[in-house]
Structure formats: C-alpha cells, structure tokens
Amino acid sequence: MRDPLDLYEPTGDESSVDARVLIHVFDGFVQAGGVPRLVSEHLLSHFEPRRIGHFDVDQLIDYRSRRPLMTFATDRWENYQNPVLAVHELRDAAGVPFLLLTGPEPDYQWERFIAAAIALVGRLGVQLSIGLNAVPMTVPHTREPRVIAHGSRRELIRGYQPWFERVQVPGSAGNLLEYRLGETGADAMGFAVLVPHYLAQNDYPPAALALLEAVGRATGLVLPVDELRAAGLSVRAEIDKQIAQSQEAADMVAALQQQYDAFVGGHERAGLLGDDVPLPSAEELAAEFERFLAGQAGQGGQGGGRGDTEGEDRI
C-alpha cells in the first residue's frame, strides 16, 4: 500500500511548530454563502501565514469538475490560478500559534488524504482539530446565524443544543476527517453555520463571523471579527432595503421568522414548519427570493453573487 504521506510535502521547518489547534476548512461540495472562502481568506489576510506544507492536488482534484481559472490577455495566456491545498501556521492577536488547513476539498483518495492528515496531526502535536462548514437552510437573515456543533466527545460541544436527532447527508472530506480522528481517540469537532437558503449563492459575512466566534469560544484564540461584523451589517442593510421594495418578499421573510421562532422556541415538530400556519414551501421561498434578488442585481442592487462554476454542485 502506498504511504499516505506521499500526498504531502513539507515546505517549511516543522520542528518549530508549536500549535495545538488545527482548523480545517475546504472549498467544496457545500459552500453556502461563500463562507469557506470568506473564513480562509479572512484569516490568511489578517495574520502572517507561514506555509509549512502542501498536498499534491494533482492526485486529489478533478480539474474537469472544478476548472481552475486562467487569464487571457489580448494574445497570450497571462495567468493560471493553481489550486493549493496547504497547511499554514498562523498566530492569533495574542501571539498564540494555530494551524489552518485550507484549499479545495479533495475529489479523490479521501482515505489516503485523511490518513496523511491524521499522521500530520500526530506529528505536529495537534490536540484539537476543528472543521468549519456552512449549509443552506430555511432560516431568515433577520436572526443571528445559528451554529450547529458536533464532536468526537460531548464535552467538546458543551452548551450547544442539537438541531437534528438523526439525518443522513452526503459525505465530505472534512466531516470524514473529523470522524476518522474520533476513531483514533483524538479530540475533533466541527461547526456548521446555517445560511439563509435564499442567500446561499451570495457572499454572507454574518455566517463567517459566527463560525470564527464559535472557534474563539472553543479554543480561546483571539481571531479578527470587526471587519466581518461591519461587512455583515452592510449586507443586512442592503438586503433589508431590497426586501422593503417588495411586499411579497417581506411577507415571506415574516413567514420564515415565524416558523424559525416557533422551532427555536421548542415547538414539537420534525421540521421548521409550524402546524397552525399555512406557509410557503422551502422551494417556493427559494424560487421567489432568487427571482427577486436576481431582478435587483440586474438593476445594480446587492443580489448578484458569485457566478456558477462548471460542474460545481449546487444546493
């Protein structure tokens, strides 16, 4: 059997690494609100990252499914955005070191990739691994983003209430890494933030903020949040402005608020829908908001998000 660590190449001096926390966030199957990218870019831009190693993406990535961008200038190819899946060492605002594993989610060789990551965790002395995700859900943007916590030990997620009793979802490399780490007896946990489904194709800073705040509470790391908070307030104001222009959209937000508050308040119901109020379905809500926000984007409003990428999975 091939050595899993053949997938990984150190590019820095590992002997000086003294980080006890590894954060892993991948850009892949579920990327609601652009949150994986927002989180990784925010951390890498606010601290001084030192890359200590990278994975061989040629063995892990399906280029035809997620084609890297190239820039053509007049009569020549000027640039190629090479995908990078790397481990960085950063130091928080108090100087405490931590590791960030980020880049495209592997398409191939999950078990070899995860075996390599687990070996790296052991070699570097990591004591806690935290995965970050963002999922679209029928929640209103007028409420604080809710974070679902899960972990290899219940003690790691004390204070968080469960959102689901039992559910099967498509797997991801990040969630499988958490699962496999737990099997080894290592401490591993994850946070998934719920993004309003009608905003899933737009950058949504409030969700990225919620994840970083959750990581800070779990680890004591001092992470930058002020810019994300300001960006979130700006996005919220623009969305509210657009919704105020459509009574139909306003009614739908009110309906979402009602069903969300009923669920959070403890109504005994398997989903987010209350029994006594005839509300639109999730599909109807999504279709209406996509139509509404797309129309606003065409008039120069906030509604435009990132364009679809060829072969990319969408919720």
Side-chain angles (χ1 to χ4, degrees), residues 150-182:
H150 40 83
S152 57
R153 292 190 296 116
R154 291 187 181 277
E155 291 81 3
L156 296 173
I157 55 174
R158 187 178 291 114
Y160 286 89
Q161 297 299 318
W163 189 264
F164 302 109
E165 287 296 325
R166 188 180 187 88
V167 63
Q168 283 191 319
V169 298
S172 70
N175 288 336
L176 184 57
L177 175 57
E178 178 186 325
Y179 178 70
R180 292 288 187 237
L181 281 166

Side-chain angles (χ1 to χ4, degrees), residues 33-49:
V35 172
R37 175 178 49 79
L38 289 175
V39 167
S40 60
E41 288 180 353
H42 189 72
L43 291 175
L44 291 172
S45 66
H46 277 75
F47 298 122
E48 296 182 1

Side-chain angles (χ1 to χ4, degrees), residues 249-266:
D251 290 343
M252 288 188 175
V253 170
L256 271 178
Q257 290 176 161
Q258 185 174 4
Q259 66 188 41
Y260 177 83
D261 292 342
F263 178 83
V264 173

Side-chain angles (χ1 to χ4, degrees), residues 154-278:
R154 291 187 181 277
E155 291 81 3
L156 296 173
I157 55 174
R158 187 178 291 114
Y160 286 89
Q161 297 299 318
W163 189 264
F164 302 109
E165 287 296 325
R166 188 180 187 88
V167 63
Q168 283 191 319
V169 298
S172 70
N175 288 336
L176 184 57
L177 175 57
E178 178 186 325
Y179 178 70
R180 292 288 187 237
L181 281 166
E183 288 184 324
T184 70
D187 280 347
M189 62 186 300
F191 295 114
V193 64
L194 305 184
V195 175
H197 60 283
Y198 51 90
L199 299 173
Q201 303 299 325
N202 298 270
D203 283 352
Y204 195 61
L209 170 64
L211 285 182
L212 288 186
E213 289 179 334
V215 171
R217 289 190 296 269
T219 64
L221 291 172
V222 183
L223 303 176
V225 295
D226 290 345
E227 287 187 17
L228 284 175
R229 181 173 290 111
L233 292 173
S234 177
V235 167
R236 167 69 187 274
E238 187 61 33
I239 295 170
D240 287 344
K241 178 182 176 181
Q242 293 176 21
I243 289 174
Q245 299 171 16
S246 167
Q247 186 59 49
E248 189 175 8
D251 290 343
M252 288 188 175
V253 170
L256 271 178
Q257 290 176 161
Q258 185 174 4
Q259 66 188 41
Y260 177 83
D261 292 342
F263 178 83
V264 173
H267 283 218
E268 296 183 1
R269 172 83 178 191
L272 287 177
L273 220 54
D275 286 328
D276 53 346
V277 181

Side-chain angles (χ1 to χ4, degrees), residues 5-268:
L5 280 172
D6 287 345
L7 290 173
Y8 179 78
E9 180 180 350
T11 55
D13 180 14
E14 291 185 356
S15 64
S16 63
V17 175
D18 190 31
R20 296 295 175 258
V21 173
L22 168 70
I23 300 170
H24 55 90
V25 52
F26 303 115
D27 191 3
F29 173 55
V30 179
Q31 46 189 332
V35 172
R37 175 178 49 79
L38 289 175
V39 167
S40 60
E41 288 180 353
H42 189 72
L43 291 175
L44 291 172
S45 66
H46 277 75
F47 298 122
E48 296 182 1
R50 180 172 75 93
R51 187 186 298 182
I52 63 172
H54 64 268
F55 288 87
D56 184 356
V57 293
D58 264 359
Q59 297 190 55
L60 298 173
I61 301 301
D62 180 357
Y63 290 100
R64 292 194 302 173
S65 174
R66 292 182 288 174
R67 296 179 184 269
L69 295 178
M70 299 181 67
T71 301
F72 184 80
T74 309
D75 57 359
R76 64 190 179 92
W77 292 107
E78 185 179 73
N79 180 262
Y80 170 64
Q81 294 186 13
N82 184 48
V84 176
L85 178 56
V87 181
H88 306 268
E89 182 185 42
L90 304 92
R91 293 183 179 272
D92 74 352
V96 177
F98 67 98
L99 299 175
L100 176 65
L101 167 56
T102 188
E105 178 188 19
D107 296 305
Y108 304 124
Q109 303 190 59
W110 278 13
E111 294 292 1
R112 284 191 72 218
F113 164 72
I114 287 167
I118 291 175
L120 191 62
V121 162
R123 192 166 78 196
L124 297 179
V126 171
Q127 297 177 354
L128 175 64
S129 301
I130 303 178
L132 304 181
N133 288 287
V135 295
M137 188 69 70
T138 50
V139 295
H141 74 280
T142 52
R143 300 293 183 261
E144 290 296 317
R146 191 176 183 93
V147 173
I148 300 173
H150 40 83
S152 57
R153 292 190 296 116
R154 291 187 181 277
E155 291 81 3
L156 296 173
I157 55 174
R158 187 178 291 114
Y160 286 89
Q161 297 299 318
W163 189 264
F164 302 109
E165 287 296 325
R166 188 180 187 88
V167 63
Q168 283 191 319
V169 298
S172 70
N175 288 336
L176 184 57
L177 175 57
E178 178 186 325
Y179 178 70
R180 292 288 187 237
L181 281 166
E183 288 184 324
T184 70
D187 280 347
M189 62 186 300
F191 295 114
V193 64
L194 305 184
V195 175
H197 60 283
Y198 51 90
L199 299 173
Q201 303 299 325
N202 298 270
D203 283 352
Y204 195 61
L209 170 64
L211 285 182
L212 288 186
E213 289 179 334
V215 171
R217 289 190 296 269
T219 64
L221 291 172
V222 183
L223 303 176
V225 295
D226 290 345
E227 287 187 17
L228 284 175
R229 181 173 290 111
L233 292 173
S234 177
V235 167
R236 167 69 187 274
E238 187 61 33
I239 295 170
D240 287 344
K241 178 182 176 181
Q242 293 176 21
I243 289 174
Q245 299 171 16
S246 167
Q247 186 59 49
E248 189 175 8
D251 290 343
M252 288 188 175
V253 170
L256 271 178
Q257 290 176 161
Q258 185 174 4
Q259 66 188 41
Y260 177 83
D261 292 342
F263 178 83
V264 173
H267 283 218
E268 296 183 1

